[in-house]
Amino acid sequence: MNVLHDNMKLVCLDGATLYQVQPTLDARWETLSALCDCTVWERTAPGELVARLKGAQMALTNKTVIDAAAIAQLPDLKYIGVLATGYNVVDIEAAKVAGITVTNIPAYSTASVAQHAIALLLAIVNRVETYASAVSRGEWTESLDFTFRIQDWHELAGKTFGVVGFGNTGQATAAIAAALGMRIAVYTSKNQAELPEGYVKVDLDTLFAESDVVSLHCPLTSETAGLVDARRLGMMKPTAILINTGRGPLVNARDLAEALVEGRIYAAGVDVLDNEPPHFDNPLLAAPRCYITPHIAWSSAEARERLLGIAVENIKAYLGGNPINIVS
């Protein structure tokens, strides 16, 4: 059954996640406006949600939660498009009961996240910030030698790169690490025969104990929450580096901060924290050798453009009566 586009109202609840909304609407939102009556809000507070979606048949959300209580008050709502791969912001069971189609955006940021994970690693081992800052301060100018050394930096070739989770992003990140000459150890449900040549499947404790770098790419579930705790950090080499571009709660922040303070691991590069924006007292903010970026790994210009493009295709397919990327 086809849906009449002219009668469809679409509300995007948190457009600022992707592109500018205020003071003027970014032109890229016009691709949605061409499909139906479209309103884009910069952000939506919980108390504003129901009022903004009243009378709307379709909603787009990135981080704005649409729970069962909200769904019960929105009888006109028939479609929710999540502007991300993870869709835990929507009560899927309540949506099913209400006959609401829920879609997501799969695999749009694989290359971006993989690149950022390796960028965090290179920032740590190559000490780019340390040296660039020193040069800006004039320390190289005052040096007697053509090579100005402050600290050693290290090659990654020959080191072991441990990948926890081997979906699209884990595979892409491992491929870059392998291109740098690193040995790849993988914790995955896949069989050894399904892994690329030279990659070795290992159990989780072995991966933490033997890897020079551990990179997290697994989903956040009740089983993986707190996966990296004091016990597993204690298994790691004192020279090891932890990279987390997955989800903040995969790591116990206090345990990681203590491991860094005590020198039980060398460094950490994280793009995600358990609360975002972080609370002022998050122990990782003051931890030594902890390189933190503000949840930007997914958000390259190319990835955001790709995300919006897929969102448009999702809506077109729904309006055409053949929805795609359904998670409900």
Side-chain angles (χ1 to χ4, degrees):
M1 182 178 73
N2 289 331
V3 182
L4 294 176
H5 301 197
D6 292 343
N7 296 331
M8 300 297 284
K9 179 182 178 182
L10 169 66
V11 176
C12 180
L13 296 168
D14 45 15
T17 304
L18 290 183
Y19 297 115
Q20 183 178 358
V21 178
Q22 299 294 341
T24 58
L25 197 65
D26 189 287
R28 281 163 285 204
W29 291 113
E30 292 178 3
T31 54
L32 291 174
S33 299
L35 298 177
C36 55
D37 177 9
C38 178
T39 301
V40 182
W41 294 96
E42 186 172 31
R43 296 175 182 83
T44 296
E48 300 170 324
L49 176 69
V50 172
R52 289 183 174 178
L53 289 181
K54 278 290 184 184
Q57 291 78 35
M58 300 187 293
L60 292 177
T61 180
N62 187 298
K63 289 293 185 288
T64 303
V65 174
I66 304 179
D67 59 17
I71 289 171
Q73 300 176 70
L74 299 167
D76 295 319
L77 192 62
K78 299 303 176 186
Y79 173 86
I80 300 173
V82 180
L83 297 174
T85 302
Y87 46 88
N88 58 306
V89 295
V90 177
D91 189 316
I92 298 297
E93 290 306 313
K96 286 181 182 178
V97 171
I100 297 171
T101 299
V102 183
T103 65
N104 74 335
I105 313 290
Y108 69 93
S109 62
T110 299
S112 294
V113 176
Q115 179 177 318
H116 194 76
I118 298 299
L120 286 168
L121 175 58
L122 291 173
I124 293 168
V125 297
N126 282 61
R127 305 185 185 278
V128 173
E129 182 181 6
T130 298
Y131 276 98
S133 296
V135 172
S136 294
R137 292 192 300 266
E139 294 181 28
W140 191 19
T141 304
E142 298 171 357
S143 172
L144 298 177
D145 302 309
F146 74 94
T147 294
F148 170 62
R149 276 193 299 271
I150 305 171
Q151 297 173 315
D152 285 338
W153 65 276
H154 299 278
E155 294 180 350
L156 292 171
K159 305 287 196 308
T160 298
F161 188 86
V163 185
V164 180
F166 206 59
N168 292 328
T169 307
Q171 292 176 47
T173 307
I176 301 173
L180 292 171
M182 302 189 76
R183 297 188 296 266
I184 308 299
V186 184
Y187 174 72
T188 178
S189 59
K190 293 179 172 63
N191 297 321
Q192 176 66 55
E194 299 177 79
L195 302 183
E197 185 178 354
Y199 290 25
V200 179
K201 177 176 178 174
V202 296
D203 64 75
L204 198 57
D205 287 352
T206 298
L207 184 144
F208 273 83
E210 297 184 358
S211 296
D212 298 290
V213 180
V214 174
S215 192
L216 305 180
H217 301 281
C218 54
L220 177 63
T221 66
S222 57
E223 288 76 28
T224 61
L227 177 79
V228 182
D229 56 10
R231 185 180 77 84
R232 286 216 166 89
L233 289 163
M235 296 176 179
M236 295 177 72
K237 302 175 182 179
T239 55
I241 297 167
L242 176 71
I243 303 293
N244 186 14
T245 53
R247 290 290 182 267
L250 295 172
V251 177
N252 183 303
R254 191 161 301 282
D255 288 352
L256 176 56
E258 290 177 359
L260 290 166
V261 169
E262 296 171 8
R264 285 185 277 121
I265 69 169
Y266 177 68
V270 301
D271 184 59
V272 287
L273 296 173
D274 48 9
N275 286 288
E276 297 171 345
H279 297 158
F280 72 93
D281 59 349
N282 187 306
L284 292 179
L285 298 179
R289 304 177 310 286
C290 189
Y291 295 73
I292 303 174
T293 52
H295 205 142
I296 59 169
W298 70 275
S299 68
S300 70
E302 292 82 0
R304 285 182 291 129
E305 184 175 348
R306 194 177 300 121
L307 187 157
L308 185 57
I310 297 171
V312 169
E313 293 305 311
N314 283 351
I315 293 171
K316 284 181 179 178
Y318 172 74
L319 292 173
N322 298 292
I324 57 175
N325 295 321
I326 301 172
V327 295
S328 58

